[in-house]
Amino acid sequence: MPLLDIEGLRVDFGDRGRPLAAVEEFDLRLDVGAVRGLVGESGSGKSVAMLALMGLLGPDARIAADRLHFGDADLLALSRGARRGLLGREMAMVFQDPIASLDPCFRIGAQIEETIARHERLGRSARRERALELLRSVGIPAPASRLAAWPHQLSGGMCQRVMIAIALACRPRLLIADEPTTALDVTVQAQIMGLLLDLQRRTGMALLLVSHDLPLIAETAQRTSVMYAGRIVEERPTASLVARPRHPYTRALLDALPERHRRGERLAAIHGSVPTPGARPAGCAFHPRCPWARPRCADEAPALLADGDGSVRCHFPLDPGAASG
Ligand code: SF4
């Protein structure tokens, strides 16, 4: 049984009579202890899908799915209280901006201990000991003195380590890291990614990495899903996705990477931007930006179909060896 099994997830905002679908036909499976990537430009719906999974969207979001299972729990059938109980204890999430995620009015130790107290019956000194052990496990130097520190006294990288410590406080089976390094300096980014992978290996938890940064995911995830305009457009083992992309959008993301260009060569940017839910074109949502678009693409929305070692949503999947369009 997969740890996470999502089929046909849909998230709507706006009026019921005129719903705006931020996420549609979203499928994702994740095995126990696996590392998976979810990639797309900002506005593609990745974070909304993850917040829906965690039950963290506001009351204006309407969530439906054919299947939304975590282990043997049907998340759609759980009460609000039971769902909240899973959060933190079994599933945890790390966000993009670690400084904003910490409460500036409480010391680091108090924030970690509060999470522990919410899920485990431990006395004060046992909670403190566990908080210390967590800070040590995420590589924070002089952890005893950091427990008494305020968030503003720590760097962005240190704050993200604290957020990871808080996320791991109750030994979750799934950690979702949503753009965990985007707000950090390049050197710190590599340290945080190294830490996440090291923790994943040590604890055996599953890791779902969400990012606009395909190379970051390519180095770490076993399988990757690519999302565009609220839908998964390609899914396959990461190595094959990067070496032989079949969807033009995946191909365009790869072609836009600086490391794929020779010095002085012009970068192949993807023209235009991801359409908002209310402004998606008919047919394939990528067709106004797709160099391979044909007349059928503007009329008929493609389905996600099995294709080799994965699946692709395109009427005319690329030849694995195709040159840029
Ligand atoms: Fe491009 Fe057409 Fe495929 Fe959409 S369906 S990605 S427009 S080729």
Side-chain angles (χ1 to χ4, degrees), residues 38-101:
L38 179 61
V39 179
E41 290 166 281
S42 76
S44 60
K46 320 178 291 290
S47 296
V48 174
M50 292 303 101
L51 291 171
L53 164 66
M54 296 292 284
L56 291 174
L57 287 173
D60 54 335
R62 294 187 299 281
I63 300 165
D66 298 326
R67 194 174 174 83
L68 192 61
H69 281 200
F70 178 75
D72 52 11
D74 178 353
L75 297 181
L76 292 176
L78 289 184
S79 68
R80 194 176 265 267
R83 187 88 182 263
R84 209 173 302 130
L86 273 183
L87 204 67
R89 202 183 65 232
E90 303 255 355
M91 319 158 71
M93 193 160 172
V94 177
F95 297 92
Q96 177 173 338
D97 189 346
I99 295 173
S101 300

Coordinates of all heavy atoms in Angstrom, one line a residue, residues 38-101:
L38 N 7.9 17.4 -7.1 CA 6.8 18.1 -7.8 C 7.3 19.4 -8.3 O 7.7 20.3 -7.5 CB 5.6 18.2 -6.8 CG 4.3 18.9 -7.3 CD1 3.7 18.1 -8.5 CD2 3.3 19.0 -6.2
V39 N 7.3 19.6 -9.6 CA 7.9 20.8 -10.2 C 6.9 21.5 -11.0 O 6.0 21.0 -11.6 CB 9.1 20.3 -11.2 CG1 9.8 21.4 -11.8 CG2 10.1 19.5 -10.4
G40 N 7.2 22.9 -11.1 CA 6.4 23.7 -12.0 C 6.7 25.2 -11.7 O 7.2 25.5 -10.6
E41 N 6.4 26.1 -12.6 CA 6.6 27.5 -12.3 C 5.7 27.9 -11.2 O 4.7 27.3 -10.9 CB 6.2 28.3 -13.6 CG 7.2 28.2 -14.7 CD 6.6 28.7 -16.0 OE1 5.8 28.0 -16.6 OE2 7.0 29.8 -16.4
S42 N 5.9 29.1 -10.6 CA 5.0 29.6 -9.6 C 3.7 29.9 -10.3 O 3.6 30.3 -11.4 CB 5.6 30.8 -8.8 OG 5.5 31.9 -9.6
G43 N 2.6 29.6 -9.6 CA 1.2 29.7 -10.1 C 0.7 28.5 -10.8 O -0.4 28.4 -11.3
S44 N 1.5 27.4 -10.8 CA 1.1 26.1 -11.4 C 0.1 25.3 -10.6 O -0.5 24.4 -11.0 CB 2.3 25.3 -11.9 OG 3.0 24.9 -10.7
G45 N 0.0 25.7 -9.3 CA -0.9 25.0 -8.4 C -0.3 24.0 -7.4 O -1.0 23.3 -6.7
K46 N 1.1 23.9 -7.4 CA 1.8 22.9 -6.6 C 1.5 23.1 -5.1 O 1.1 22.2 -4.4 CB 3.3 23.0 -6.7 CG 3.8 23.2 -8.1 CD 5.3 23.4 -8.1 CE 5.9 24.6 -7.5 NZ 5.8 25.9 -8.1
S47 N 1.6 24.4 -4.6 CA 1.5 24.6 -3.2 C 0.0 24.5 -2.8 O -0.3 23.9 -1.7 CB 1.9 26.1 -2.9 OG 3.3 26.2 -3.1
V48 N -0.9 24.9 -3.7 CA -2.4 24.7 -3.3 C -2.7 23.2 -3.2 O -3.4 22.8 -2.2 CB -3.3 25.3 -4.4 CG1 -4.7 25.0 -4.1 CG2 -3.0 26.8 -4.5
A49 N -2.1 22.4 -4.1 CA -2.4 20.9 -4.0 C -1.8 20.4 -2.6 O -2.5 19.6 -2.0 CB -1.7 20.2 -5.1
M50 N -0.6 20.9 -2.2 CA 0.0 20.4 -1.0 C -0.8 20.9 0.2 O -1.0 20.1 1.2 CB 1.4 20.8 -0.9 CG 2.3 20.2 -1.9 SD 2.3 18.4 -1.8 CE 1.2 17.9 -3.2
L51 N -1.3 22.1 0.2 CA -2.0 22.7 1.3 C -3.4 22.0 1.5 O -3.9 21.7 2.6 CB -2.2 24.2 1.2 CG -0.9 25.0 1.3 CD1 -1.1 26.5 0.9 CD2 -0.4 24.9 2.7
A52 N -3.9 21.6 0.3 CA -5.2 20.8 0.3 C -5.0 19.5 1.0 O -5.8 19.0 1.8 CB -5.8 20.7 -1.1
L53 N -3.9 18.8 0.6 CA -3.5 17.5 1.2 C -3.4 17.6 2.7 O -3.8 16.8 3.5 CB -2.2 17.0 0.5 CG -1.5 15.9 1.2 CD1 -2.4 14.6 1.2 CD2 -0.2 15.6 0.6
M54 N -2.7 18.7 3.2 CA -2.5 18.9 4.6 C -3.7 19.4 5.3 O -3.7 19.5 6.6 CB -1.3 19.9 4.8 CG 0.0 19.5 4.2 SD 0.7 18.1 5.2 CE 1.3 18.9 6.6
G55 N -4.8 19.8 4.6 CA -6.0 20.4 5.3 C -5.7 21.8 5.8 O -6.3 22.2 6.8
L56 N -4.8 22.5 5.1 CA -4.4 23.8 5.6 C -5.0 25.0 4.8 O -4.6 26.1 5.0 CB -2.9 23.9 5.6 CG -2.2 23.1 6.6 CD1 -0.7 23.2 6.5 CD2 -2.6 23.5 8.1
L57 N -5.9 24.7 3.8 CA -6.5 25.8 3.1 C -7.7 26.4 3.8 O -8.3 25.7 4.7 CB -7.0 25.3 1.7 CG -5.9 24.9 0.7 CD1 -6.5 24.3 -0.5 CD2 -5.1 26.2 0.3
G58 N -8.0 27.7 3.6 CA -9.0 28.4 4.3 C -10.4 27.9 3.8 O -10.6 27.1 2.9
P59 N -11.5 28.4 4.5 CA -12.8 28.0 4.2 C -13.3 28.3 2.8 O -14.3 27.8 2.3 CB -13.7 28.7 5.3 CG -12.8 29.8 5.8 CD -11.4 29.4 5.5
D60 N -12.6 29.2 2.1 CA -13.1 29.6 0.7 C -12.6 28.5 -0.3 O -13.0 28.6 -1.5 CB -12.5 31.0 0.3 CG -11.0 31.1 0.5 OD1 -10.5 30.3 1.3 OD2 -10.4 31.9 -0.2
A61 N -11.8 27.6 0.1 CA -11.4 26.5 -0.8 C -12.3 25.3 -0.8 O -12.7 24.9 0.3 CB -10.0 26.1 -0.5
R62 N -12.7 24.8 -1.9 CA -13.6 23.6 -1.9 C -12.7 22.5 -2.5 O -12.2 22.6 -3.6 CB -14.8 23.8 -2.8 CG -15.8 24.9 -2.2 CD -17.1 25.0 -2.9 NE -16.9 25.4 -4.3 CZ -16.7 26.6 -4.7 NH1 -16.6 27.6 -3.8 NH2 -16.5 26.9 -6.0
I63 N -12.6 21.4 -1.7 CA -11.7 20.3 -2.1 C -12.5 19.0 -2.4 O -13.4 18.7 -1.6 CB -10.7 20.0 -0.9 CG1 -9.9 21.3 -0.6 CG2 -9.8 18.8 -1.2 CD1 -9.2 21.3 0.7
A64 N -12.2 18.4 -3.5 CA -12.9 17.1 -3.8 C -11.8 16.2 -4.4 O -10.8 16.7 -4.9 CB -14.0 17.4 -4.8
A65 N -12.0 14.9 -4.3 CA -11.1 13.9 -4.9 C -11.7 12.6 -5.0 O -12.7 12.3 -4.2 CB -9.8 13.8 -4.0
D66 N -11.3 11.8 -6.0 CA -11.8 10.4 -6.1 C -11.1 9.6 -5.0 O -11.7 8.6 -4.5 CB -11.4 9.8 -7.4 CG -12.1 10.6 -8.6 OD1 -13.2 11.1 -8.4 OD2 -11.4 10.8 -9.6
R67 N -9.9 10.0 -4.6 CA -9.2 9.3 -3.5 C -8.2 10.2 -2.9 O -7.4 10.9 -3.6 CB -8.5 8.1 -4.2 CG -8.0 7.0 -3.3 CD -7.4 5.9 -4.1 NE -6.8 4.9 -3.3 CZ -7.4 4.0 -2.6 NH1 -8.7 3.8 -2.7 NH2 -6.8 3.1 -1.8
L68 N -8.2 10.2 -1.6 CA -7.2 11.1 -0.9 C -6.8 10.3 0.4 O -7.4 10.5 1.5 CB -7.8 12.4 -0.5 CG -6.8 13.5 0.0 CD1 -5.8 13.9 -1.1 CD2 -7.6 14.8 0.3
H69 N -5.9 9.3 0.2 CA -5.6 8.4 1.3 C -4.2 8.7 1.8 O -3.2 8.9 1.0 CB -5.7 7.0 0.8 CG -7.1 6.5 0.8 ND1 -7.4 5.1 0.8 CD2 -8.3 7.1 0.8 CE1 -8.7 5.0 0.7 NE2 -9.2 6.2 0.7
F70 N -4.0 8.6 3.1 CA -2.7 8.6 3.7 C -2.6 7.3 4.5 O -3.3 7.2 5.5 CB -2.5 9.9 4.6 CG -1.2 9.9 5.3 CD1 0.0 10.3 4.6 CD2 -1.1 9.6 6.7 CE1 1.2 10.3 5.2 CE2 0.2 9.6 7.3 CZ 1.3 10.0 6.6
G71 N -1.7 6.4 4.1 CA -1.7 5.1 4.7 C -3.1 4.5 4.5 O -3.7 4.5 3.5
D72 N -3.7 4.0 5.6 CA -5.0 3.5 5.5 C -6.1 4.5 5.9 O -7.3 4.1 6.1 CB -5.2 2.1 6.3 CG -4.7 2.3 7.7 OD1 -4.5 3.5 8.1 OD2 -4.6 1.3 8.4
A73 N -5.7 5.7 6.1 CA -6.7 6.8 6.5 C -7.2 7.5 5.2 O -6.5 7.9 4.4 CB -6.1 7.8 7.4
D74 N -8.6 7.5 5.1 CA -9.2 8.3 4.1 C -9.4 9.7 4.6 O -10.2 10.0 5.4 CB -10.6 7.7 3.8 CG -11.4 8.4 2.7 OD1 -10.9 9.5 2.3 OD2 -12.4 8.0 2.3
L75 N -8.5 10.6 4.1 CA -8.5 12.0 4.6 C -9.8 12.7 4.5 O -10.1 13.6 5.3 CB -7.3 12.8 4.0 CG -5.9 12.2 4.2 CD1 -4.9 13.1 3.6 CD2 -5.6 12.1 5.7
L76 N -10.5 12.4 3.4 CA -11.8 13.1 3.2 C -12.9 12.7 4.2 O -13.8 13.4 4.4 CB -12.3 12.9 1.7 CG -11.4 13.6 0.7 CD1 -11.9 13.2 -0.7 CD2 -11.4 15.1 0.8
A77 N -12.7 11.5 4.7 CA -13.7 11.0 5.7 C -13.4 11.3 7.1 O -14.2 11.2 8.0 CB -13.8 9.5 5.5
L78 N -12.2 11.8 7.4 CA -11.8 12.1 8.8 C -12.5 13.4 9.3 O -12.7 14.3 8.5 CB -10.3 12.3 8.8 CG -9.4 11.1 8.7 CD1 -7.9 11.5 8.9 CD2 -9.8 10.0 9.7
S79 N -12.7 13.4 10.6 CA -13.3 14.7 11.2 C -12.1 15.7 11.2 O -11.0 15.4 11.0 CB -13.7 14.4 12.6 OG -12.6 14.1 13.4
R80 N -12.5 17.0 11.4 CA -11.5 18.0 11.4 C -10.5 17.8 12.5 O -9.3 18.0 12.3 CB -12.3 19.3 11.7 CG -11.5 20.6 11.5 CD -12.4 21.8 11.7 NE -13.0 22.2 10.5 CZ -12.5 23.2 9.8 NH1 -11.4 23.8 10.1 NH2 -13.0 23.6 8.7
G81 N -10.9 17.3 13.7 CA -10.0 17.0 14.8 C -9.1 15.9 14.5 O -7.9 16.0 14.8
A82 N -9.6 14.8 13.9 CA -8.7 13.7 13.5 C -7.7 14.1 12.5 O -6.5 13.7 12.5 CB -9.6 12.5 13.0
R83 N -8.1 14.9 11.6 CA -7.2 15.4 10.5 C -6.1 16.2 11.1 O -4.9 16.1 10.8 CB -8.1 16.2 9.5 CG -7.4 16.7 8.3 CD -7.5 15.7 7.2 NE -6.8 16.1 6.0 CZ -7.3 16.6 5.0 NH1 -8.6 16.9 5.0 NH2 -6.6 17.0 3.9
R84 N -6.5 17.1 12.1 CA -5.5 17.9 12.8 C -4.5 17.1 13.6 O -3.4 17.4 13.7 CB -6.2 19.0 13.7 CG -5.4 20.2 13.8 CD -6.1 21.3 14.5 NE -7.4 21.7 13.9 CZ -8.5 21.8 14.6 NH1 -8.6 21.5 15.9 NH2 -9.6 22.2 14.0
G85 N -5.0 16.0 14.1 CA -4.2 15.1 14.9 C -3.1 14.4 14.0 O -2.0 14.2 14.4
L86 N -3.4 14.2 12.7 CA -2.4 13.6 11.8 C -1.4 14.6 11.5 O -0.2 14.2 11.3 CB -3.1 13.2 10.5 CG -3.8 11.9 10.3 CD1 -4.3 11.7 8.9 CD2 -2.8 10.8 10.6
L87 N -1.8 15.8 11.4 CA -0.8 16.9 11.0 C 0.2 17.1 12.1 O -0.1 17.3 13.3 CB -1.7 18.2 10.9 CG -1.1 19.3 10.0 CD1 -1.1 18.8 8.6 CD2 -2.0 20.5 10.1
G88 N 1.5 17.0 11.7 CA 2.5 17.2 12.7 C 2.9 15.8 13.2 O 4.1 15.5 13.3
R89 N 2.0 14.9 13.6 CA 2.4 13.6 14.1 C 2.7 12.7 13.0 O 3.7 12.0 13.1 CB 1.2 13.1 14.9 CG 1.6 12.0 15.9 CD 0.4 11.5 16.7 NE -0.4 10.7 15.7 CZ -1.7 10.9 15.6 NH1 -2.4 11.8 16.4 NH2 -2.5 10.2 14.8
E90 N 2.0 12.7 11.9 CA 2.3 11.7 10.8 C 2.7 12.4 9.5 O 3.5 11.9 8.8 CB 1.0 11.0 10.5 CG 0.4 10.2 11.7 CD 0.6 8.8 11.6 OE1 1.2 8.3 10.6 OE2 0.3 8.1 12.5
M91 N 2.2 13.7 9.3 CA 2.5 14.4 8.1 C 3.0 15.8 8.6 O 2.3 16.4 9.4 CB 1.3 14.6 7.2 CG 0.5 13.5 7.0 SD -1.2 13.9 6.4 CE -0.9 14.5 4.8
A92 N 4.1 16.3 8.0 CA 4.5 17.6 8.4 C 5.0 18.4 7.2 O 5.3 17.8 6.1 CB 5.7 17.5 9.4
M93 N 5.0 19.7 7.3 CA 5.4 20.5 6.1 C 6.4 21.6 6.5 O 6.3 22.2 7.6 CB 4.1 21.1 5.6 CG 4.2 21.7 4.2 SD 2.5 21.9 3.5 CE 2.9 22.8 2.0
V94 N 7.3 21.9 5.6 CA 8.3 23.0 5.8 C 8.0 23.9 4.7 O 7.9 23.5 3.5 CB 9.7 22.4 5.7 CG1 10.7 23.6 5.8 CG2 10.0 21.4 6.8
F95 N 8.0 25.2 5.0 CA 7.6 26.2 4.0 C 8.8 27.0 3.5 O 9.9 26.9 4.0 CB 6.5 27.2 4.6 CG 5.3 26.5 4.9 CD1 5.1 26.0 6.2 CD2 4.3 26.3 4.0 CE1 3.9 25.3 6.6 CE2 3.1 25.6 4.3 CZ 2.9 25.1 5.6
Q96 N 8.5 27.9 2.5 CA 9.6 28.7 1.8 C 10.3 29.7 2.7 O 11.5 29.8 2.7 CB 8.9 29.4 0.6 CG 9.9 30.3 -0.1 CD 9.3 30.8 -1.4 OE1 8.3 30.3 -1.9 NE2 9.8 31.9 -1.9
D97 N 9.5 30.4 3.5 CA 10.1 31.5 4.2 C 10.2 31.2 5.7 O 9.3 31.4 6.5 CB 9.3 32.8 4.1 CG 10.0 34.0 4.6 OD1 11.0 33.8 5.4 OD2 9.5 35.1 4.3
P98 N 11.4 30.7 6.1 CA 11.5 30.2 7.5 C 11.4 31.3 8.5 O 10.9 31.1 9.6 CB 12.9 29.5 7.5 CG 13.7 30.2 6.4 CD 12.7 30.5 5.4
I99 N 11.9 32.5 8.2 CA 11.8 33.6 9.2 C 10.4 33.9 9.5 O 10.0 34.1 10.6 CB 12.6 34.8 8.7 CG1 14.1 34.3 8.6 CG2 12.5 36.0 9.6 CD1 15.1 35.3 8.0
A100 N 9.5 34.0 8.4 CA 8.1 34.3 8.6 C 7.4 33.2 9.3 O 6.3 33.4 9.9 CB 7.5 34.7 7.3
S101 N 7.9 32.0 9.1 CA 7.2 30.8 9.7 C 7.3 30.7 11.2 O 6.5 30.1 11.9 CB 7.7 29.5 9.1 OG 7.5 29.5 7.7

